[in-house]
Amino acid sequence: MTTVDNGVNVQALLDAREALKGAPEAAQFTWRASSTWQNGVHSTTTVQNFFGLGQEQAHKSETVFDADHPEVFAAQDNGITPIEYLLVGLASCLTAGVASVAQNRGIQLRSVRATVEGQHDIRGILGVDSDVRNGFNDVKVTFAIDADASEQEIAALVAQSQKRSAVFDALTNPTNVTVEVA
């Protein structure tokens, strides 16, 4: 029998799940990002520290994200738009889920590609029509997966990934968002 290796340490995930059953307070995480305006509609956002497992934590290194708008919006195009970052988050979360579920189910992956498209009527953000929402009207995720599995098993991988995705949940269910001025 061939050992499946998709690069996911499923045993560590299962051990964490079991440990957190008895310590729900340790499962409370606070993720952070800090954005600084540069010029025009360009900003840089840094991510490094977070709180979890009862204490402050840090990624191995700080990551910096540039956000801007394209030249067709009379901007400098120094980075992707903020709403595109939602697509990045959704695609990467679902893809990570597919890899994790496949590893747990003993399915060897050869390739996984998630293509995410968001339909957006920008009349809302421009104030052209107050009946048009500011965000996406529709988001579609399409997977192309090559694996040692049947079509049914691949569909089940995607379904389980969607079921456990934090980003999918945040986009499809109401989330309390508070905006304050310090």
Side-chain angles (χ1 to χ4, degrees):
M1 181 172 165
T2 306
T3 301
V4 172
D5 184 6
N6 296 321
V8 179
N9 185 342
V10 171
Q11 192 57 54
L13 296 174
L14 295 174
D15 291 348
R17 182 169 69 183
E18 195 57 38
L20 292 173
K21 282 182 183 177
E25 66 284 349
Q28 303 307 307
F29 275 65
T30 301
W31 303 103
R32 300 185 189 105
S34 180
S35 187
T36 303
W37 172 69
Q38 298 301 318
N39 186 40
V41 292
H42 177 212
S43 65
T44 54
T45 302
T46 58
V47 176
Q48 183 166 21
N49 300 316
F50 60 94
F51 180 87
L53 301 176
Q55 63 186 4
E56 286 297 318
Q57 307 280 347
H59 292 282
K60 285 197 242 182
S61 62
E62 179 180 78
T63 302
V64 179
F65 300 92
D66 278 290
D68 202 349
H69 290 82
E71 289 179 349
V72 297
F73 288 165
Q76 297 298 310
D77 205 6
N78 290 305
I80 66 174
T81 63
I83 201 159
E84 287 172 303
Y85 275 111
L86 286 176
L87 301 180
V88 170
L90 181 59
S92 56
C93 191
L94 290 172
T95 301
V98 166
S100 298
V101 174
Q103 183 72 42
N104 191 43
R105 294 184 180 180
I107 297 172
Q108 182 62 56
L109 299 172
R110 285 185 286 280
S111 67
V112 178
R113 181 177 192 87
T115 301
V116 184
E117 296 178 332
Q119 300 300 317
H120 188 204
D121 184 339
I122 67 168
R123 291 178 300 160
I125 62 173
L126 293 175
V128 173
D129 186 340
S130 61
D131 291 332
V132 174
R133 67 176 293 186
N134 294 329
F136 288 125
N137 299 317
D138 190 53
V139 175
K140 180 182 178 185
V141 181
T142 305
F143 274 99
I145 299 174
D146 183 12
D148 291 330
S150 69
E151 285 183 31
Q152 239 180 353
E153 290 169 318
I154 290 172
L157 288 178
V158 172
Q160 184 65 19
S161 173
Q162 179 181 326
K163 181 178 178 181
R164 292 287 174 234
S165 170
V167 178
F168 182 87
D169 178 83
L171 287 173
T172 59
N173 291 300
T175 300
N176 294 326
V177 178
T178 304
V179 178
E180 300 174 343
V181 176

